[in-house]
Amino acid sequence: MSQHYHLIGVGIGPFHLSLAALLDKVKDHEVKFFDQKPYFQWHPELLFSDADMQTSYLKDLVTAVDPTSPHSFLNYLVQNGLFYTFMNTGRRVITRREFELYCQWVSKNINGSLNFNSSVEDIEFVDNKFVVTTKGEKHTSTHLSIATGLTPRIPEFAKPFLGSTVFHAKSPLLMSQDFTNKRVLIIGGGQTGVEIFRNGIHGKWGRPAEIKLFSRRQNLEPLDESPFTNEYFNPHYVEQFFSIDHKEKAGIVQSQKLASDGNTPQYLELLYNDLYRLIHVEKNAQLAKILPKRTLVGIEKNATGGFKAIFDNSFLYEKESFDADIIILSTGFVSTLPPVLNKIKHLLELDTENRFKLDRSFRVKWKGPETNKIYALNFSRHLHGIAEPQTSLMAWRSATIINDLMEKNIYLPQEVVPTFIQYGRD
């Protein structure tokens, strides 16, 4: 049996990296985070050269609660000699690749709490301790944190066809594709689908015979970046949202969809100009098409060895079919309990949809002792609201968890200042 820890974290993505970075200043409490990846990676198959973050670089791992932290993005710039040249770019956001480079830098500078190449195989609760098994080695911890990420959403009818030519966008298969002279269908009109579509037009994977983008939405709808909409990504709003009737929450989150799941307006401008040049200057009207108001409802093999994709057209109220050689499912993600929790699942309090029940501090409600806490990150959109899966509030959430974990305010002030929008009472 190896060393006992105060907290063990499962998964090392941006959310747990934020928690680890802010825990770095907490002394005399040993923590350890495990991940199966060999080093920090963040959706490497989707790190296109033209892919920007949708939030300010100041909403990094730590700055919102500890701007003096050595793990801030600004310190990353300073320590790498990039501060002045970066400021000369005049940018408010950075590319996703830059964000990954920043996170990799932080992961190398955190003192010993991150274990990569260490897949968590099993979690048990024995003698008032969590027993976490990695590569056959057992570790114990008083507390546990889960941040294993979301699961790609795959329509049931598509699952029998999954393989090298039908796959989810969040798949290593995307990196090794050859679109040359192929008919490519992209399912999903969110940012990821649009980025794959644009990069396909530019020949990133070879020049396709045709490339089509399908979306259930009525158009390629822009992200709502207005200041009042951005108040949804504010601790004060999250506090108010958490307190309302649970039955109202799903409808509210759905109505806010374009605040988090719209397309970057500047990116849509670039794509529009690409299509103008392609169709009206190069006179190639057949290569690329955008087809909204279509829902994929079936896939069949066709006689040529490719596929026939079947859609409901909700604009014309009829069915349509399109032939394809490659189908990329940019169909989003779902929140599911990780299998490593199976042995303690009977102790967890879950709702009717098999989701965690959590308190304000992102602590999972369970039947175990109150002296042992479980935290869940990116599992609480149904309770904490639209900001939960986003990077915007990850530093605030990490600070909230740390204050609860240590049972004192490590990060001050934690009083939430009201915004200009009042939803509840004074």
Side-chain angles (χ1 to χ4, degrees):
M1 190 76 72
S2 67
Q3 178 179 349
H4 179 77
Y5 296 99
H6 187 64
L7 173 78
I8 283 180
V10 182
I12 309 175
F15 295 159
H16 259 169
L17 188 60
S18 168
L19 185 64
L22 289 169
L23 278 168
D24 211 25
K25 70 185 288 184
V26 180
K27 306 305 180 185
D28 303 322
H29 291 280
E30 292 290 333
V31 299
K32 188 68 75 172
F33 295 83
F34 295 99
D35 196 289
Q36 63 183 350
K37 298 188 295 292
Y39 54 89
F40 185 92
Q41 293 176 292
W42 192 55
H43 306 312
E45 61 280 345
L46 300 176
L47 292 181
F48 307 125
S49 60
D50 61 350
D52 286 341
M53 298 289 288
Q54 292 186 321
T55 56
S56 166
Y57 57 81
L58 291 178
K59 294 182 177 181
D60 61 14
L61 300 170
V62 296
T63 295
V65 297
D66 188 3
T68 64
S69 168
H71 304 305
S72 71
F73 180 74
L74 288 179
N75 195 42
Y76 160 77
L77 293 177
V78 170
Q79 296 301 321
N80 288 277
L82 300 173
F83 180 81
Y84 293 103
T85 50
F86 176 82
M87 296 307 295
N88 288 341
T89 69
R91 290 183 292 155
R92 296 175 57 191
V93 297
I94 59 177
T95 65
R96 289 208 292 268
R97 175 59 178 147
E98 285 176 292
F99 180 74
E100 184 188 56
L101 288 170
Y102 156 62
C103 288
Q104 288 172 347
W105 174 82
V106 171
S107 72
K108 293 172 184 175
N109 283 281
I110 290 178
N111 186 24
S113 63
L114 306 182
N115 269 36
F116 291 100
N117 236 345
S118 298
S119 177
V120 174
E121 301 164 354
D122 192 30
I123 298 174
E124 299 176 90
F125 187 71
V126 181
D127 296 331
N128 290 338
K129 294 188 291 287
F130 294 103
V131 181
V132 178
T133 304
T134 63
K135 290 187 173 180
E137 184 178 6
K138 293 186 182 296
H139 315 265
T140 63
S141 177
T142 304
H143 310 292
L144 185 69
S145 185
I146 306 295
T148 49
L150 301 175
T151 303
R153 179 185 285 111
I154 308 288
E156 283 298 322
F157 60 79
K159 290 180 179 178
F161 300 95
L162 292 178
S164 60
T165 52
V166 178
F167 54 90
H168 194 274
K170 178 66 174 72
S171 165
L173 290 166
L174 181 61
M175 303 170 74
S176 59
Q177 287 301 304
D178 181 4
F179 286 5
T180 306
N181 296 323
K182 303 287 180 60
R183 299 161 297 178
V184 180
L185 306 190
I186 302 163
I187 314 301
Q191 186 71 22
T192 297
V194 170
E195 288 174 358
I196 296 172
F197 181 64
R198 182 172 187 244
N199 278 271
I201 292 172
H202 283 271
K204 177 178 175 63
W205 301 278
R207 189 75 163 180
E210 59 182 35
I211 184 166
K212 295 183 170 73
L213 175 66
F214 295 82
S215 177
R216 290 184 298 180
R217 306 179 192 189
Q218 60 186 350
N219 206 330
L220 298 186
E221 297 171 322
L223 182 74
D224 186 348
E225 300 179 288
S226 61
F228 289 100
T229 296
N230 278 337
E231 291 287 4
Y232 297 146
F233 303 93
N234 185 303
H236 183 252
Y237 178 78
V238 176
E239 292 278 0
Q240 292 181 101
F241 184 88
F242 188 86
S243 66
I244 66 174
D245 191 318
H246 180 68
K247 296 191 293 294
E248 303 294 327
K249 291 185 176 183
I252 293 173
V253 170
Q254 182 59 32
S255 73
Q256 298 167 343
K257 185 178 182 67
L258 295 179
S260 67
D261 197 23
N263 297 294
T264 306
Q266 297 87 343
Y267 198 86
L268 292 181
E269 288 183 10
L270 293 172
L271 176 59
Y272 194 91
N273 277 276
D274 290 341
L275 294 172
Y276 181 90
R277 285 191 295 270
L278 179 69
I279 295 169
H280 298 302
V281 179
E282 298 177 22
K283 306 299 182 183
N284 186 348
Q286 300 306 310
L287 174 63
K289 294 187 185 302
I290 299 169
L291 298 99
K293 299 286 282 184
R294 270 91 167 179
T295 300
L296 181 67
V297 295
I299 298 175
E300 299 173 0
K301 293 286 286 186
N302 64 21
T304 62
F307 305 95
K308 181 168 74 171
I310 304 163
F311 295 85
D312 277 340
N313 182 324
S314 60
F315 192 78
L316 299 175
Y317 293 100
E318 62 184 28
K319 275 196 164 44
E320 297 174 308
S321 64
F322 297 85
D323 290 326
D325 301 301
I326 298 171
I327 299 176
I328 302 172
L329 302 167
S330 185
T331 44
F333 299 86
V334 293
S335 179
T336 57
L337 299 185
V340 293
L341 295 179
N342 285 346
K343 288 189 177 178
I344 63 170
K345 185 176 178 180
H346 65 287
L347 297 172
L348 305 175
E349 293 189 23
L350 306 175
D351 68 11
T352 56
E353 296 183 44
N354 210 37
R355 300 175 299 191
F356 289 124
K357 295 181 181 179
L358 299 98
D359 69 9
R360 288 178 182 271
S361 298
F362 304 92
R363 194 198 308 180
V364 174
K365 297 181 179 181
W366 75 310
K367 300 181 182 72
E370 292 185 3
T371 50
N372 301 95
K373 302 172 184 177
I374 304 174
Y375 298 95
L377 292 74
N378 198 7
F379 285 95
S380 189
R381 185 171 179 164
H382 61 294
L383 295 173
H384 286 84
I386 193 170
E388 171 63 356
Q390 310 298 320
T391 58
S392 295
L393 288 180
M394 62 180 170
W396 169 78
R397 176 180 52 201
S398 295
T400 300
I401 290 171
I402 291 169
N403 288 348
D404 185 78
L405 175 68
M406 300 302 173
E407 298 181 348
K408 62 181 179 180
N409 278 2
I410 302 295
Y411 288 97
L412 294 169
Q414 276 297 291
E415 179 182 351
V416 177
V417 178
T419 70
F420 304 131
I421 307 294
Q422 180 179 323
Y423 288 94
R425 301 182 184 90
D426 287 334

